[in-house]
Amino acid sequence: MKRTEGKDGDHVDVYIGPKPESDKVFIVDQVDASSGKFDEHKVLLGFATKEQALQCYMKAFSDGKASERIGAVKDLTVGEFKHWLACGDTSKPIDAF
């Protein structure tokens, strides 16, 4: 996501789903599969449900460790998401927001 910076120093990563009209935003506090420590956020836009969003997220990993990378999952409205990007700390887990 342009004009953002995640914990890894790159833009915050976004997955786009099939429901662009959805006002739900799901944010995964991705953790390192080995250590369990917070790694970075994965934002899932355009999904109707948390389950759909996480199914998409899990398909992105071919090593079989997708479920081990899921930390807290926060669901926000688009407005809350914009507020988090503007005022939150994208270098820390969102479950603290």
Side-chain angles (χ1 to χ4, degrees), residues 55-92:
Q55 284 176 357
C56 177
Y57 171 84
M58 292 180 70
K59 289 179 185 176
F61 298 93
S62 60
D63 64 1
K65 295 184 179 183
S67 61
E68 296 170 38
R69 289 184 168 91
I70 299 173
V73 180
K74 186 106 168 172
D75 59 287
L76 305 173
T77 65
V78 170
E80 291 168 332
F81 173 62
K82 289 178 180 180
H83 176 74
W84 173 70
L85 284 177
C87 302
D89 186 346
T90 56
S91 69
K92 295 182 180 174

Side-chain angles (χ1 to χ4, degrees), residues 22-73:
S22 176
D23 188 41
K24 297 178 182 186
V25 180
F26 302 96
I27 303 176
V28 174
D29 282 344
Q30 182 173 286
V31 298
D32 180 273
S34 300
S35 70
K37 293 184 179 184
F38 175 67
D39 179 38
E40 65 179 323
H41 299 101
K42 298 295 184 181
V43 176
L44 299 115
L45 301 171
F47 294 93
T49 67
K50 179 178 171 180
E51 291 74 24
Q52 290 172 344
L54 290 177
Q55 284 176 357
C56 177
Y57 171 84
M58 292 180 70
K59 289 179 185 176
F61 298 93
S62 60
D63 64 1
K65 295 184 179 183
S67 61
E68 296 170 38
R69 289 184 168 91
I70 299 173
V73 180

Side-chain angles (χ1 to χ4, degrees), residues 3 29 66 86 88 97:
R3 292 179 279 177
D29 282 344
F97 178 69

